[in-house]
Amino acid sequence: MQAWVIGNWKQNPATSHDVDLLLNDLLTTIDTKEQADTEPSNSRCQLMVAPSCIHLAAVSAHLAGSSILSAAQDVSAYSASVGAYTGDCSAQQIADAGATWTILGHSERRQYHNESHDTLLQKMIHALTQGLGVVFCIGETQAQYDAKQTLEVIDAQLLVVKDLLAQQPELIVSLSEHLIIAYEPVWAIGTGKVPTVSEVSQTHQHIKQTVTGFAESLKVMSVLYGGSVNADNADSFAADSMIDGALVGGASLKVESFLAIANAFSQAKG
Ligand code: PGA
């Protein structure tokens, strides 16, 4: 199965100049590596980057013709297209900017923007009906982890997928190709703390079983791990058969670490 390594740039870099430098470095390093290797460096690992909305069109244009996909970090919950929603970007506008995917439900959006089940369901419907794939983030807080509520929390967050299928049953056929779940324990994001590989593996197994219960076709859906993934720990996550890739924050802003993570998944899933 193909692995996914997705860079969530969050509200970085500060300028379009720095965005260009990062992308040039990324594309040149991949090119050099491909010329040295017999096989394309990310043939078994699909790379994607999610810049902030202001940089999305330029990043998508820069990546056109490369093997790297671009994604938004959010879409408007209120309209899939146009409307009086100051500050929002719709799924149609994001697709028009050249992105093919969007992240949804990241814990920072759940925390700072109070994103609820209903909001996320609307966002997911808008994204999918405009042809965008969705990387749907779920995960427990430190307090929930300490109280051993991880699976309970995840089950509640996954109800968005269940309700999506109830409302849009026609999506069942193709959803496994357009939906990726990213399991990101909130306490592991940007902290340097990570769960053990076996904990992640068991949680991913639970996620896969749960979504397969919603629709048999989701059996093959990819489940990624996110939270302090770096060049040093990527190998151990990649080696586990339940972990189909990584959603990477901090380490995706440095080409060396981002590609080391991609390489770890490419090797392990080859
Ligand atoms: P991190 O972020 O890799 O910096 O921990 C991951 C994420 O928030 O997606």
Side-chain angles (χ1 to χ4, degrees):
M1 193 156 134
Q2 173 197 258
W4 295 83
V5 171
I6 303 173
N8 174 11
W9 290 359
K10 310 191 180 187
Q11 198 173 287
N12 299 291
T15 64
S16 30
H17 177 72
D18 289 347
V19 168
D20 274 348
L21 289 179
L22 180 57
L23 281 182
N24 284 337
D25 190 9
L26 185 61
L27 291 172
T28 319
T29 312
I30 289 176
D31 245 22
T32 316
K33 202 171 172 301
E34 278 181 5
Q35 273 162 26
D37 295 352
T38 45
E39 203 176 348
S41 54
N42 58 349
S43 60
R44 289 176 302 258
C45 180
Q46 176 64 58
L47 292 180
M48 192 191 298
V49 294
S52 77
C53 200
I54 192 83
H55 296 135
L56 189 58
V59 167
S60 303
H62 202 138
L63 293 176
S66 81
S67 58
I68 307 175
L69 303 174
S70 64
Q73 298 174 10
D74 184 39
V75 305
S76 172
Y78 303 103
S79 164
S81 178
V82 293
Y85 305 108
T86 302
D88 273 14
C89 253
S90 75
Q92 184 182 22
Q93 291 169 326
I94 283 159
D96 181 63
T100 46
W101 286 76
T102 185
I103 295 172
L104 287 182
H106 190 280
S107 65
E108 286 150 16
R109 294 213 52 92
R110 291 178 190 263
Q111 183 185 351
Y112 300 122
H113 301 268
N114 295 317
E115 287 190 341
S116 63
H117 169 278
D118 290 350
T119 306
L120 287 168
L121 178 58
Q122 281 315 306
K123 289 184 178 201
M124 206 180 273
I125 291 172
H126 291 332
L128 292 166
T129 53
Q130 290 292 332
L132 295 172
V134 172
V135 181
F136 185 55
C137 303
I138 57 174
E140 81 286 359
T141 63
Q142 180 76 63
Q144 291 163 336
Y145 175 77
D146 292 342
K148 303 203 183 323
Q149 292 168 341
T150 299
L151 300 186
E152 225 173 285
V153 170
I154 279 172
D155 284 349
Q157 292 170 332
L158 285 175
L159 289 179
V160 171
V161 178
K162 188 177 187 197
D163 290 351
L164 169 81
L165 289 170
Q167 284 195 22
Q168 313 265 314
E170 70 281 2
L171 290 175
I172 289 184
V173 196
S174 60
L175 195 60
S176 66
E177 285 160 37
H178 297 115
L179 179 67
I180 291 174
I181 303 287
Y183 168 56
E184 299 203 301
V186 180
W187 53 273
I189 295 176
T191 57
K193 289 196 283 185
V194 288
T196 64
V197 173
S198 127
E199 282 176 304
V200 175
S201 185
Q202 283 170 37
T203 306
H204 281 208
Q205 187 164 18
H206 177 81
I207 294 169
K208 286 174 191 248
Q209 276 165 358
T210 305
V211 294
T212 305
F214 299 159
E216 185 64 24
S217 59
L218 294 183
K219 202 167 146 189
V220 294
M221 194 189 64
S222 297
V223 181
L224 318 186
Y225 169 72
S228 296
V229 177
N230 59 37
D232 296 327
N233 61 22
D235 280 332
S236 61
F237 289 118
D240 191 279
S241 65
M242 287 288 147
I243 305 176
D244 304 317
L247 180 56
V248 187
S252 71
L253 294 167
K254 296 228 160 49
V255 168
E256 200 185 337
S257 45
F258 188 52
L259 289 182
I261 295 165
N263 193 44
F265 277 92
S266 187
Q267 297 292 320
K269 308 299 178 189

